[in-house]
Amino acid sequence: MPEKHNKILSSKNWAPHTHQALNAVIAAYGNQNSSFDPADPPYVVFDFDNTSAIMDIEDTLMLYMLLHLDYRLTPDQFHAILTDGLENVGATEDTLLDKTNPLATIGNIADDIKVAYAWLYKQYEGFMQGGTLSLEEAKKSSYYEEFAAKIRLFYTVINGDFKRKAGYPWMTYLFAQRTSEDLRQLAYQSISYWLQYGKFERVTLTSPAELPSKAGVIVSHYDTGLAFPTELKELYHVLKANGIVVYVISASPVDVVQVAATHPDFGYGLDNEHVIGMYYNKDENGLIQPCMQPGKNITKGPGKTAVITEQLMPNHNEKQPLMLFGDSTGDYDMMMELQDAKLCVLFNRYMNDDTQKLAREAFRTIEDENPRVVLQGRDENKGSLRPSEKTILLGTQEEVLIHEA
């Protein structure tokens, strides 16, 4: 027999106004309503990273690969992927990855990464190039410290500030030389590792001063932890129990987000057909190539809106989504453009970007019975939602709501 799920969302750690708004829309448009047409059901669209989950499954996968030195690339391939499609990789001020360090150009840091990776490639037994060092021994070396600090800075800055000609995002390219099945297995291992990790904290990395390098000493950081909140998994199931179709559109690689949203171990209960992510080219042997698949939308910003209007709406009698769920500027466009949506839920990350316009609208309408936008707070130190619109950011104890205009 199919598993039964409640039709009403329990309050748990939802902000009360957000919880009330969600249940009101579900009751009004789900199969509890006499006007519901099972042949033409409403649908909703979720972002995944920092919306359906707390933290980012692609970012934590990159960390998992770094912590386990799990790459399938030669040093030359690694360097080519880092620099391909980026303009002006030389020593110009516009390409500084650390504005306080005139040597920290894209070109210099990519070269330093290649040197450190080449040493690890030869010495670490896991690369099977004749090396004898265990993973623990390799990670104690100054070359690993160099590699880790600089690849992390590269990720943080390039992923945020640069766009490459060949596609977006650049880190997807480090999956090159894997099959989709390899990547799915790696994603499952990474998600399982971080869900069990249990600590949400910022870790600082510093490259060693004693190692000769072009860019000199670099300081970078990463944030640990990953959580799949019970509230979100329950919401997915409540929506489906009410006959409402659930989709995920994510800027994470499609294989990775499909594992997160469909694997029975993780509890969201979707199928692959309802999970859309970033697609990449493959060669004749099924190996992922360092380029995005032509003709596929970039699944963030206006690209996410395009996926909805071009792929989802034609399957739903040209109707817009009933509800939209997001957290960042990558979700802002769909929430602004798709004005027929009855409810937009913004997970409050207190980011000083376009999402603050939505946050201010949510704050202005916090007493309304039928708001269009609501806020949901989180505690980033615990990896949990909070029964409030206010968020507690990682490494702080202060509640924050919105940036002033």
Side-chain angles (χ1 to χ4, degrees), residues 2 10 56 85 93 134 177 196 225 252 264 296 351 379:
S10 56
D56 182 306
E93 188 175 333
S134 68
Q177 304 305 309
Q196 295 167 18
S252 285
K296 289 287 188 180
M351 300 175 76
D379 187 334

Side-chain angles (χ1 to χ4, degrees), residues 337-392:
E337 293 297 320
L338 303 174
Q339 286 289 320
D340 288 351
K342 302 303 179 187
L343 184 66
C344 296
V345 180
L346 180 68
F347 290 80
N348 189 1
R349 293 178 64 203
Y350 196 64
M351 300 175 76
N352 195 11
D353 57 20
D354 283 341
T355 60
Q356 293 307 292
K357 298 173 188 174
L358 294 166
R360 285 190 282 272
E361 180 180 344
F363 183 68
R364 284 195 306 271
T365 60
I366 201 163
E367 301 296 332
D368 289 9
E369 282 190 24
N370 298 298
R372 185 176 182 274
V373 184
V374 292
L375 268 177
Q376 175 57 51
R378 5 185 281 170
D379 187 334
E380 296 182 355
N381 301 292
K382 297 178 179 177
S384 64
L385 300 189
R386 303 182 69 237
S388 169
E389 285 76 16
K390 296 178 180 178
T391 278
I392 298 175

Side-chain angles (χ1 to χ4, degrees), residues 22 48 80 88 93-94 110 124 127-128 133 139 148 151 164 207-208 250 280 295 308 326 338 347 400 402:
L22 283 166
F48 197 84
N88 304 318
E93 188 175 333
D94 289 341
Y124 168 45
F127 287 122
M128 293 182 288
L133 295 184
K139 288 173 68 175
I151 193 69
R164 51 168 72 242
S207 64
S250 170
Y280 22 68
I308 294 170
L338 303 174
F347 290 80
V400 292
I402 54 174

